Amino acid sequence: APQLKFDGHPLPNIEWKPIPGSDYSWAQYDFGTKPVSHTVKHPSSPFGLVIMGYMKQTAPQTSPTGPQPSGHLGKEFFVPTPHIANQKEPLRMEFRITAYSDSTVATVLCEKTNFKRELTLKTGQTGTIELTIPVEILTSVPSTPIIIKSDKLISVTAVIFRGGKTENTEILSMQQMGVEYYVMTPPGKSESDSKEATIVNYQFENKVDIYVTSEVDFDEKKYPKGSKISVNLKPSQTVQIGRA
């Protein structure tokens, strides 16, 4: 960790904290608000990097040197509809799609609802496609897949409007999906004190092993620290696990 460098310089005043039950540690660093690119490197050891932030923006922005690409670019994205067992009303979703080349054509498809919308975007332009998810889909298992395709590289943010609040998620492309993840919940309490992670399966049946490092809620049961939870997932199925 001491050899990790940010823009070629050692990270200053970083406090590394152990991840219980593993050989890993984590730290956070505020790199400011300037719209510039950064590099994070280690000479020999692999590491994970999560970037979080926000900006107030009323219109698509383009920097003097062109659009600044997201780290999650792709041409095909898979988004399962949320599974909310006790949902009583339809749910509104938005997909905010940013293009990095002129004449980019992006399409959002949901076969189960016969939904199809298409956008043509310019370099640096962000377009929005909105759809409403019916209650019968929100409460069904497995989830209904929503597919986003484009002829050129794009990035996609999904926005869910629920209970007067919005939930924003930057979507990984299909090519970026992986087989091993570490999930860390933030310290402190939120307004709703809801800390959840969603596991998304793609196109094949799959078995997922979850190694618990603190008490969690899953499938209406509590699992103590040290538990191993094994889940068999169908294509396009999602499950949620919450911090107890």
Side-chain angles (χ1 to χ4, degrees):
Q3 299 183 56
L4 197 65
K5 292 188 176 181
F6 181 82
D7 291 341
H9 302 284
L11 286 167
N13 302 321
I14 290 295
E15 180 184 357
W16 290 94
K17 301 177 183 179
I19 299 175
S22 76
D23 296 327
Y24 294 84
S25 58
W26 69 279
Q28 62 184 30
Y29 177 68
D30 185 348
F31 54 82
T33 59
K34 292 182 179 180
V36 296
S37 299
H38 298 282
T39 61
V40 183
K41 294 182 179 180
H42 192 284
S44 59
S45 178
F47 62 92
L49 181 66
V50 178
I51 300 175
M52 295 178 289
Y54 71 94
M55 64 183 297
K56 295 181 179 179
Q57 182 172 310
T58 56
Q61 300 289 321
T62 303
S63 74
T65 57
Q68 301 300 307
S70 156
H72 299 155
L73 300 185
K75 294 183 179 180
E76 190 168 3
F77 298 78
F78 168 86
V79 184
T81 54
H83 174 64
I84 311 172
N86 59 351
Q87 183 74 8
K88 304 299 182 183
E89 299 177 351
L91 194 69
R92 185 162 68 95
M93 291 186 69
E94 278 185 2
F95 293 102
R96 297 173 183 174
I97 303 170
T98 300
Y100 300 92
S101 302
D102 284 336
S103 302
T104 297
V105 179
T107 305
V108 177
L109 302 161
C110 182
E111 291 185 2
K112 198 165 184 178
T113 61
N114 295 317
F115 181 91
K116 182 178 180 180
R117 295 289 187 278
E118 188 175 279
L119 284 176
T120 300
L121 303 170
K122 300 177 182 178
T123 301
Q125 183 180 3
T126 297
T128 299
I129 292 180
E130 181 179 316
L131 69 159
T132 300
I133 310 298
V135 172
E136 57 268 25
I137 288 180
L138 295 171
T139 56
S140 65
V141 177
S143 299
T144 299
I146 300 171
I147 305 298
I148 302 168
K149 295 183 178 182
S150 66
D151 60 342
K152 299 174 184 176
L153 291 176
I154 58 173
S155 60
V156 178
T157 298
V159 184
I160 297 175
F161 299 86
R162 180 165 51 175
K165 300 178 182 179
T166 59
E167 301 173 10
N168 293 20
T169 304
E170 189 168 10
I171 306 301
L172 291 173
S173 69
M174 292 182 179
Q175 293 75 23
Q176 291 175 306
M177 289 185 172
V179 297
E180 185 175 4
Y181 294 90
Y182 287 84
V183 179
M184 293 173 285
T185 56
K189 291 188 176 183
S190 63
E191 183 177 333
S192 62
D193 198 28
S194 176
K195 299 178 180 181
E196 295 180 337
T198 299
I199 301 170
V200 179
N201 192 33
Y202 179 31
Q203 62 186 142
F204 304 109
E205 291 189 358
N206 208 347
K207 180 184 177 183
V208 177
D209 293 325
I210 306 168
Y211 297 90
V212 176
T213 59
S214 63
E215 186 179 21
V216 298
D217 295 319
F218 178 73
D219 198 22
E220 300 183 350
K221 297 179 182 178
K222 290 189 180 296
Y223 291 84
K225 175 182 177 180
S227 299
K228 175 185 174 182
I229 306 171
S230 295
V231 186
N232 293 308
L233 298 178
K234 297 178 181 179
S236 77
Q237 186 177 356
T238 66
V239 293
Q240 290 182 324
I241 185 167
R243 178 75 176 269

